Amino acid sequence: GWCPLSLAGAQTTQLLVEPPWTPAVLWDRVTLICQGLGTASATTWYKDGQRWWQSSHNRFTVKDSGTYTCGRPGSGLSPPVRVSNGPLVLQVPTRELLEGDTVTLRCRH
């Protein structure tokens, strides 16, 4: 599951990645989920810095590599998420990691 957002974090738009590994790779069938204030039907998506489309849904499955951002009225733009199509990637969980945590790394090709 997702870690709950802090009270400050609840005021900003977040772009969640499923499956929750970073960096995200296209061949994982990545779904991006935009969370923020306001209604999901007002989600605006950006790809590679350009306004891409406005959707009635707050999630979609990525078909092309690139850098994605989403925006919601009242909470602004999310931090960007890059989805690559590289042949070899070392992935870590997207959750916040602290010193001393045990973490699983995935080397994928």
Side-chain angles (χ1 to χ4, degrees):
W2 300 106
C3 297
L5 298 174
S6 68
L7 204 52
Q11 303 305 311
T12 59
T13 303
Q14 301 292 322
L15 189 51
L16 306 180
V17 181
E18 182 64 43
W21 292 87
T22 188
V25 286
L26 196 58
W27 30 273
D28 261 348
R29 289 189 53 81
V30 171
T31 297
L32 298 180
I33 304 149
C34 189
Q35 288 190 343
L37 298 176
T39 60
S41 61
T43 302
T44 302
W45 294 94
Y46 300 83
K47 182 177 184 285
D48 299 326
Q50 303 293 314
R51 184 186 169 105
W52 189 39
W53 61 306
Q54 184 147 1
S55 174
S56 59
H57 303 288
N58 70 330
R59 64 174 61 216
F60 77 99
T61 300
V62 178
K63 300 279 195 278
D64 298 297
S65 58
T67 300
Y68 293 86
T69 308
C70 72
R72 298 284 283 278
S75 56
L77 291 177
S78 70
V81 167
R82 170 142 178 76
V83 181
S84 71
N85 200 23
L88 183 66
V89 63
L90 180 64
Q91 291 181 311
V92 297
T94 55
R95 66 181 174 84
E96 184 177 356
L97 299 172
L98 302 175
E99 185 177 349
D101 285 353
T102 298
V103 61
T104 298
L105 303 180
R106 300 200 308 184
C107 186
R108 317 273 308 287
H109 64 86

